[in-house]
Amino acid sequence: MVRKKLLGLAAGAAMALVGASVSLAQQTVAPAAPSAAVKSPLKGSWGPAPARNSSESVGPFRKLVIRGATLIDGSGGPPMGPIDIVIEGNRIVAVNQAGWPGLPMKADREPRDADYEIDAHGMYVMPGFIDCHVHGAGTDKAPDLGYNYKLWLAHGVTTVRGVPLASPEMASSEKNRSARNEIAAPRIFNYQTLGAGWSGGTVDTVEKARAWVQWAAKNNIDGIKFFNRPNETPEITSAAIDEAHKHNMGTVAHLSQNGVANFNARQAGEAGLDTVTHFYGHFESLLKDATIQKFRSDYDYNNEQDRFGSVADLFDQSYEPGSPQWIAYLAEQKANHVNFDPTFNIYAASRDLMRARNADWHSVYTTPELWDYFQSTRDNHGSYFYDWTTDDEVRWKNFYKKFMTLINDYKNMGGHVTIGTDSGFIWKLYGFAYIEELELFREAGFTPLEVIRTATKNGAETLWSPKHEAPPVGIVRPGMLADLVIAPENPLANLKTLYGSGFLRLNPKTNKVERVGGVKYTIKDGIVYDAHRLLQEVAETVSSEKKRMGRPDGLPVQP
């Protein structure tokens, strides 16, 4: 048999593939007609992703075999290996024992008629990661949505929930293009804010709320994102949640400060809300000697340092972990089947601004436009560090201890928790922030296997349960869709090895530091993406943007 290599691999990252009857030319996807840029209410204009090309991906194949890997299957079960995974088209058809640990693997193993094989000896295979809270980068911060997609795929993210990803029209188009694998992108769930995209104006009555949900269900929208805006009264939000469930649509809420006094996370759970995202609403449900947070007399919600800085004051205004009120709140949310999507990373800069600002990846993978957006200013959302002090960071560190305890306690009593990032704000970059979120879950008390289960199985259950469908992804089993992550380092030993910028380790033989790790390959729908190649494409895009804008630049060697 003739050995071939995946096209377009970065230097030193070649993957051996065995080819028989399927040629690489047959895998090339014809360019799809791009949608016109659509004006978004969130971040300006949006550019559709370019068509997928064979330099960054190959497949799907009649038969693909991943040989000799250690499997972390997403169920919470321990690793096992060596394992062969057989994929036909976009489905896993077999997970076979390839031998016994410490012994030579069986030679000449079935199946022998694979079109392509991936030699995964010494590597780790997991289900594709799921990000339950994403937004797209508008063309004022990146050339097109492909910037997001490549960074997500390069970090193993194969499914995202846009809340919203882009405007209804653009998000719907990109969702469909991804489903057809015309673009290099994760699977997309299209959630939109209440009232977005239709001609009926602001949703300010119960009747309009139900009418918008009915319109959304017919227009390729999978769910609703609530913000507790002034027009989103408890009655209107409750009606929209009820109508959404009638149409098999999901619901998620950012219960912002300007509405949480009348509709907190406990009340949202009672109304049937599926997911509480961020921390908003939790501690307002646990205030110990008031019904409204005690804001400073000079507080102004439109001053974002006030808005975000005051959140940490909830630390000592709410009931303590382990108290009867704390336990009762979590028990109520569990009984109402509410999912918690904490997005720890998006506010992590509040407790250590210098670390977030100087993260390893910014110089190579953050566009200059996005870098400028992150700078402290009153003009951009999330750029609130006008005068961020040691005391501000200490208050946020204390708040995080309590917030993390809440999420870990909920998990320990059987509550459902997912991974979400909300990248594109507050110094958090797509893909890289996902791995940081995994690390923060570890800090919160989740075991490594619990972290992986939260990132895979839990995310799939949350996204597909409103549809009343069994998730087709999230664990590695025969019959599931072929969404997988292949990594050369053991993530259970060190989650940092999943960062696309790699992990620095001293080689004892040379006494020199080497960059190791990163995701090796991401498989979505049976298509093999070279993570290193995707990162190189992003780096080249960023370099080009810097040169266009007259910014200094340098491209380091990829891991």
Side-chain angles (χ1 to χ4, degrees):
M1 300 182 74
V2 179
R3 282 209 171 268
K4 296 184 179 178
K5 291 183 178 179
L6 187 66
L7 288 180
L9 293 178
M15 173 179 69
L17 297 172
V18 178
S21 59
V22 179
S23 71
L24 289 176
Q26 291 174 306
Q27 306 309 315
T28 303
V29 177
S35 303
V38 177
K39 193 72 176 176
S40 164
L42 209 78
K43 291 188 184 177
S45 60
W46 303 79
R52 181 168 67 90
N53 65 76
S54 58
S55 70
E56 60 198 14
S57 65
V58 292
F61 305 108
R62 181 189 62 83
K63 186 171 291 184
L64 165 68
V65 181
I66 302 168
R67 296 282 191 190
T70 297
L71 175 63
I72 304 169
D73 70 4
S75 70
M80 55 184 178
I83 293 292
D84 291 345
I85 301 171
V86 184
I87 298 166
E88 294 182 0
N90 69 343
R91 292 277 175 181
I92 299 169
V93 297
V95 178
N96 300 329
Q97 186 78 28
W100 299 104
L103 297 175
M105 280 182 281
K106 304 171 186 175
D108 199 26
R109 303 187 301 277
E110 293 284 356
R112 300 186 185 92
D113 62 340
D115 299 309
Y116 281 86
E117 295 193 358
I118 299 174
D119 182 358
H121 295 83
M123 299 187 192
Y124 294 79
V125 176
M126 296 163 281
F129 297 145
I130 297 171
D131 192 330
C132 289
H133 190 133
V134 308
H135 303 287
T139 53
D140 52 345
K141 300 173 190 66
D144 53 61
L145 286 165
Y147 174 72
N148 301 64
Y149 301 156
K150 290 175 183 178
L151 286 171
W152 284 326
L153 286 171
H155 287 89
V157 177
T158 56
T159 300
V160 297
R161 173 168 63 182
V163 287
L165 175 76
S167 65
E169 180 183 350
M170 178 63 73
S172 175
S173 173
E174 293 291 277
K175 169 187 170 181
N176 293 342
R177 295 176 73 209
S178 176
R180 296 190 296 264
N181 291 311
E182 295 172 355
I183 53 178
R187 300 175 191 280
I188 296 169
F189 278 70
N190 177 17
Y191 279 48
Q192 294 291 332
T193 55
L194 186 66
W198 78 332
S199 59
T202 301
V203 173
D204 52 12
T205 67
V206 165
E207 292 73 23
K208 277 190 176 181
R210 293 189 182 275
W212 181 86
V213 173
Q214 293 164 13
W215 172 88
K218 297 175 182 177
N219 282 273
N220 203 26
I221 293 173
D222 300 300
I224 311 171
K225 166 76 171 294
F226 300 101
F227 272 106
N228 249 358
R229 290 170 173 156
N231 64 294
E232 294 176 4
T233 65
E235 295 77 18
I236 287 173
T237 299
S238 297
I241 292 171
D242 177 68
E243 192 69 24
H245 291 164
K246 292 178 181 178
H247 293 274
N248 298 333
M249 295 170 64
T251 57
V252 58
H254 168 154
L255 298 166
S256 63
Q257 291 99 325
N258 53 9
V260 74
N262 297 309
F263 199 65
N264 60 34
R266 174 184 275 117
Q267 293 162 322
E270 291 169 352
L273 182 76
D274 296 317
T275 295
V276 174
T277 193
H278 307 315
F279 45 73
Y280 303 104
H282 290 307
F283 295 101
E284 291 87 350
S285 303
L286 287 164
L287 292 172
K288 60 185 176 184
D289 56 5
T291 58
I292 300 174
Q293 180 181 348
K294 298 173 184 176
F295 296 104
R296 298 190 321 271
S297 60
D298 61 347
Y299 174 95
D300 186 341
Y301 179 79
N302 288 334
N303 179 326
E304 289 210 338
Q305 181 151 331
D306 282 357
R307 172 182 169 184
F308 291 104
S310 70
V311 167
D313 294 338
L314 288 165
F315 168 74
D316 55 9
Q317 295 183 30
S318 53
Y319 285 108
E320 295 303 314
S323 65
Q325 295 85 354
W326 180 278
I327 295 170
Y329 169 69
L330 294 179
E332 288 173 32
Q333 296 292 61
K334 181 188 172 187
N336 288 323
H337 307 287
V338 180
N339 180 69
F340 289 2
D341 188 53
T343 66
F344 292 126
N345 81 96
I346 194 58
Y347 300 110
S350 299
R351 60 183 198 159
D352 193 345
L353 176 59
M354 190 181 299
R355 180 176 187 269
R357 190 172 56 216
N358 290 285
D360 289 355
W361 41 87
H362 283 314
S363 64
V364 182
Y365 301 108
T366 300
T367 64
E369 296 92 341
L370 189 56
W371 178 264
D372 291 345
Y373 184 86
F374 288 153
Q375 304 302 317
S376 296
T377 172
R378 298 186 188 277
D379 298 327
N380 298 332
H381 175 54
S383 303
Y384 55 83
F385 303 101
Y386 311 151
D387 185 14
W388 204 249
T389 68
T390 300
D391 284 356
D392 287 320
E393 292 192 353
V394 169
R395 289 187 304 118
W396 266 91
K397 287 174 182 176
N398 289 333
F399 175 68
Y400 255 65
K401 291 176 185 176
K402 198 167 193 176
F403 182 31
M404 286 178 162
T405 299
L406 183 88
I407 301 302
N408 196 48
D409 285 355
Y410 193 54
K411 175 263 297 180
N412 286 341
M413 70 161 51
H416 208 262
V417 183
T418 51
I419 302 285
T421 59
D422 196 19
S423 302
F425 307 95
I426 320 179
W427 299 101
K428 299 306 172 185
L429 184 61
Y430 314 98
F432 291 93
Y434 193 88
I435 309 307
E436 182 182 5
E437 188 72 8
L438 302 184
E439 287 196 279
L440 290 166
F441 266 78
R442 186 74 184 94
E443 180 184 339
F446 285 54
T447 68
L449 281 172
E450 287 175 333
V451 172
I452 300 301
R453 182 177 64 184
T454 304
T456 55
K457 180 175 179 286
N458 283 15
E461 290 170 348
T462 290
L463 296 187
W464 269 271
S465 63
K467 300 176 178 293
H468 303 286
E469 298 175 4
V473 300
I475 58 174
V476 181
R477 295 278 191 278
M480 304 295 279
L481 291 175
D483 283 17
L484 302 167
V485 185
I486 304 176
E489 297 274 334
N490 183 357
L492 302 180
N494 185 4
L495 291 166
K496 291 183 185 296
T497 59
L498 293 172
Y499 282 114
S501 50
F503 175 73
L504 295 176
R505 177 184 293 149
L506 185 69
N507 185 326
K509 295 180 180 178
T510 64
N511 197 34
K512 294 186 181 298
V513 172
E514 296 178 349
R515 193 174 293 274
V516 301
V519 170
K520 195 81 167 177
Y521 310 110
T522 298
I523 300 176
K524 179 249 182 177
D525 232 11
I527 296 169
V528 182
Y529 290 91
D530 172 21
H532 294 179
R533 175 59 186 163
L534 293 173
L535 285 171
Q536 189 65 33
E537 290 177 356
V538 171
E540 290 166 358
T541 295
V542 171
S543 177
S544 176
E545 282 294 285
K546 288 180 177 179
K547 290 175 182 176
R548 182 181 67 81
M549 297 174 67
R551 302 285 183 88
D553 180 51
L555 290 177
V557 176
Q558 298 304 304

